[in-house]
């Protein structure tokens, strides 16, 4: 008769566990190897494709976005405009020369007329084609006004604010407000203009009573040879 008191070890004996470990370990190693190979293959594809490489760099913020990526350049039409009535508020740009050679320096000045109103601030949207001109500098030409400028690609957004310490009235009367130095890059008839509005921005004057004045706008042609 068989021994009724025969005992068996626990199901998960040390021996059985030691036999399972190599199999489980091998499965994990195969899985890790496959994942590493897939990552390496994906990295090779990205690095070998310049377009994908740039997109990944921009997504990770490893390279800065260019101004043109902040907006659709086709949305801006740099048009020619002129002042119709100089007895009511206006703003326009004028050039120190009608023609220039590629690589020369051209100075464009923005002038304004406020119709007798005391101005404490202004916004100006200045259309400049980046393919036609390089903007070297953009500075305030009105004493007592500090400017804040932003390159939006096809135009520059400028805000001018009067120093609160200035107590004298500031009436624009064919007054120089901004000076812009440009370097022509492309031959042809090129225009620098003022934009009435774009998105949520607009060209305007603000007087001491916080009243908004929407000025007429004027542009200038510059022939580049």
């Amino acid at each position: 008769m068989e021994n009724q008191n025969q005992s068996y070890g626990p199901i998960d004996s040390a021996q059985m566990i030691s036999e399972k470990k190599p199999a489980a370990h091998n499965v994990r190693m195969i899985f890790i190897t496959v994942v590493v190979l897939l990552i390496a293959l994906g990295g090779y594809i990205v690095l070998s494709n310049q377009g994908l490489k740039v997109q990944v760099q921009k997504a990770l913020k490893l390279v800065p976005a260019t101004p043109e990526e902040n907006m659709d350049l086709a949305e801006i039409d740099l048009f020619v405009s002129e002042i119709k009535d100089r007895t009511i508020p206006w703003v326009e740009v004028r050039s120190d020369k009608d023609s220039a050679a590629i690589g020369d320096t051209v100075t464009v000045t923005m002038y304004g007329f406020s119709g007798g109103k005391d101005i404490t601030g202004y916004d100006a949207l200045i259309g400049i084609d980046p393919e036609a001109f390089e903007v070297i500098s953009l500075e305030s030409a009105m004493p007592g006004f500090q400017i804040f400028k932003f390159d939006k690609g096809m135009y520059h957004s400028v805000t001018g604010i009067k120093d609160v310490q200035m107590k004298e009235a500031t009436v624009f009367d064919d007054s120089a407000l901004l000076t812009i130095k440009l370097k022509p890059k492309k031959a042809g008839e090129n225009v620098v203009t003022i934009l009435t509005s774009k998105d949520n921005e607009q060209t305007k004057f603000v007087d001491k009573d916080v009243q908004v004045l929407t000025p007429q706008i004027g542009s200038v042609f510059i022939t580049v040879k």
Side-chain angles (χ1 to χ4, degrees):
M1 175 182 289
E2 295 182 359
N3 185 358
Q4 298 295 328
N5 296 322
Q6 183 177 357
S7 61
Y8 297 89
I11 294 177
D12 290 326
S13 66
Q15 181 180 359
M16 294 181 68
I17 292 174
S18 64
E19 290 175 353
K20 290 179 181 179
K21 281 185 177 179
H25 177 72
N26 290 339
V27 171
R28 286 198 300 272
M29 290 302 298
I30 293 172
F31 176 77
I32 292 172
T33 301
V34 171
V35 171
V36 170
L37 289 174
L38 289 175
I39 293 174
L41 179 60
Y44 173 77
I45 293 173
V46 169
L47 292 176
S48 61
N49 187 308
Q50 187 61 28
L52 287 175
K53 181 178 178 181
V54 171
Q55 289 180 20
V56 170
Q57 287 177 328
K58 289 177 180 177
L60 296 176
K61 300 187 184 302
L62 298 178
V63 295
T66 59
E68 290 81 356
E69 293 174 324
N70 296 329
M71 59 174 294
D72 184 357
L73 299 187
E75 293 180 2
I76 298 291
D77 179 22
L78 296 185
F79 54 88
V80 179
S81 57
E82 60 180 289
I83 308 304
K84 302 296 184 182
D85 184 352
R86 291 190 176 270
T87 65
I88 58 178
W90 52 261
V91 61
E92 70 177 355
V93 282
R94 306 171 193 164
S95 174
D96 66 338
K97 56 185 72 173
D98 295 329
S99 62
I102 293 176
D104 284 351
T105 298
V106 177
T107 300
V108 172
T109 303
M110 186 179 84
Y111 293 86
F113 175 75
S114 63
K117 297 291 186 178
D118 181 6
I119 303 300
T120 59
Y122 67 84
D123 289 324
L125 310 181
I126 308 167
I128 304 171
D129 185 350
E131 294 186 359
F133 297 104
E134 174 188 351
V135 178
I136 300 173
S137 65
L138 195 160
E139 306 293 341
S140 176
M142 171 60 67
F145 274 72
Q146 181 181 7
I147 65 168
F148 301 89
K149 51 194 176 184
F150 305 92
D151 183 355
K152 299 299 184 72
M154 281 291 281
Y155 72 98
H156 287 249
S157 174
V158 182
T159 295
I161 300 177
K162 183 179 179 179
D163 188 340
V164 295
Q165 301 300 323
M166 286 188 63
K167 303 304 180 184
E168 303 85 4
T170 304
V171 177
F172 296 164
D173 188 9
D174 199 10
S175 305
L177 307 181
L178 295 171
T179 300
I180 310 161
K181 292 191 180 298
L182 304 174
K183 181 178 290 187
K185 297 165 56 179
K186 181 177 68 175
E189 293 289 334
N190 299 310
V191 64
V192 177
T193 191
I194 306 295
L195 304 175
T196 301
S197 63
K198 175 60 184 169
D199 296 332
N200 295 323
E201 299 181 285
Q202 69 177 94
T203 295
K204 62 180 180 291
F205 299 150
V206 179
D207 68 15
K208 67 175 183 178
D209 299 318
V210 199
Q211 297 298 311
V212 174
L213 308 175
T214 302
Q216 304 168 80
I217 56 174
S219 57
V220 63
F221 262 124
I222 302 173
T223 302
V224 180
K225 302 176 180 178

